[in-house]
Amino acid sequence: MAKYSAVLDDVFVALADPTRRGVVRRLGEGPATVGELARAYPMALPSFMKHVRTLESAGLIRTAKTGRVRTCVLDRERLAVVEDWLAEQRHVWEQRTDRLEQFIGEEDS
Amino acid sequence: MAKYSAVLDDVFVALADPTRRGVVRRLGEGPATVGELARAYPMALPSFMKHVRTLESAGLIRTAKTGRVRTCVLDRERLAVVEDWLAEQRHVWEQRTDRLEQFIGEEDS
DNA sequence: TCAATACTTAGCCTCGTGGCTAAGTATTCG
DNA sequence: CGAATACTTAGCCACGAGGCTAAGTATTGA
C-alpha cells in the first residue's frame, strides 16, 4: 500500500487547478468535446488543451478523436485513488484513537 | 457552493507532493516536531520547512513553537474539503444517472 | 558561560507549469 | 474545390515550486 505514490502525485496535481477541476465536474454530467469544454474558460485553446492532456495522463479522463472533433469522458475509477487515500488516512487516525483508548484503559487497570 | 476554489487549490496543491502527504500521514498518528518529521526525508531542513509551511498555509496542519522546538498537529477538519469535493462530484454523477434513467423511462412510455 | 541543538533567514539555482501567438493539419460543409 | 471548423504543433515567456548552502537566532544542557 501507499505504493501508488506516482499515481497519487499525478491525480492530486491534476486536481490542484480550478480549470481542471471544472472540467472534471463538467464531465461528471457526461462526455463533451474539447471545444465545448474550452468555451467555459477565458484562455487560448492550446493552453486549454494542456489541461486536457494533464487530466488524460493522470488517467482522470479518456479522450478520442472522431473526425476533427476530440471527445472527452470522465474515468471515475481514477477518482477512487483519492477516496482510497482519504480512507487510509482515516484508518491511520482510527488506529491512533485506538491506541489512546488502550492507553487510558491501561491507566485504569 | 464550489466557492471554496481557493481553499481547494491550496489543499490539493499541498497534497500533490509525496513528502507532504507523508507528513500528513505521520501526523495522523499524532503530533510531532519538525525535526522528528524531517528525519524521514533526505533533504535539507530549510527545504523540508517549506513543505511544513505549505501544509500550514493550506490549513492542513497547525504548528506552534515551544522553546526552540516547533510542534506540528494535523487539522483533520481541513481534509474534509477534499471529502466534500468528492461528494459533490458523486452528486453530479448521480444527477446524470437520474437523467439517463428518466430518458429511458420516457422512451418506454 | 559556552557549546550544542533546533530551527530560521537569506539568497541562489533549475525546472516545470500555465499562459501566449502564429502557423499547420485534417475534416466537413456549401 | 474552397472556406470554415476544430483542433495541433512549435516555440516563446514569466513565475513559482522545490531544492541547495551559508550564516543567523534563540534555547537548553553541562
Side-chain angles (χ1 to χ4, degrees), chain B residues 85-103:
Chain B
W85 182 83
L86 282 171
E88 192 192 333
Q89 199 57 37
R90 264 193 302 273
H91 182 65
V92 169
W93 175 264
E94 276 151 22
Q95 279 191 321
R96 180 224 167 145
T97 315
D98 288 352
R99 279 199 308 281
L100 285 178
E101 275 162 11
Q102 189 183 339
F103 174 69

Side-chain angles (χ1 to χ4, degrees), chain A residues 9 21 25 88 90, chain B residues 9 21 25 83 88 90:
Chain A
D9 276 7
R21 281 198 309 278
R25 195 207 149 93
E88 191 192 333
R90 263 193 302 274
Chain B
D9 275 8
R21 281 198 307 277
R25 194 207 149 94
E83 312 239 28
E88 192 192 333
R90 264 193 302 273

Side-chain angles (χ1 to χ4, degrees), chain B residues 22-35:
Chain B
V23 170
V24 167
R25 194 207 149 94
R26 167 60 189 79
L27 290 181
E29 296 171 7
T33 70
V34 168

Side-chain angles (χ1 to χ4, degrees), chain B residues 2-106:
Chain B
K3 198 173 296 178
Y4 308 97
S5 182
V7 175
L8 276 176
D9 275 8
D10 290 349
V11 170
F12 275 118
V13 165
L15 295 177
D17 179 286
T19 299
R20 291 191 296 257
R21 281 198 307 277
V23 170
V24 167
R25 194 207 149 94
R26 167 60 189 79
L27 290 181
E29 296 171 7
T33 70
V34 168
E36 284 165 358
L37 294 169
R39 222 165 288 143
Y41 302 95
M43 68 181 68
L45 200 59
S47 310
F48 184 78
M49 274 301 296
K50 284 195 189 176
H51 290 299
V52 172
R53 295 296 182 193
T54 300
L55 286 167
E56 189 172 20
S57 56
L60 285 166
I61 71 173
R62 274 167 291 120
T63 81
K65 200 159 182 178
T66 312
R68 63 188 171 185
V69 170
R70 180 172 295 274
T71 303
C72 309
V73 197
L74 186 63
D75 187 341
R76 292 184 76 243
E77 284 286 317
R78 206 52 152 206
L79 272 179
V81 304
V82 178
E83 312 239 28
D84 292 349
W85 182 83
L86 282 171
E88 192 192 333
Q89 199 57 37
R90 264 193 302 273
H91 182 65
V92 169
W93 175 264
E94 276 151 22
Q95 279 191 321
R96 180 224 167 145
T97 315
D98 288 352
R99 279 199 308 281
L100 285 178
E101 275 162 11
Q102 189 183 339
F103 174 69
I104 291 164
E106 276 167 14

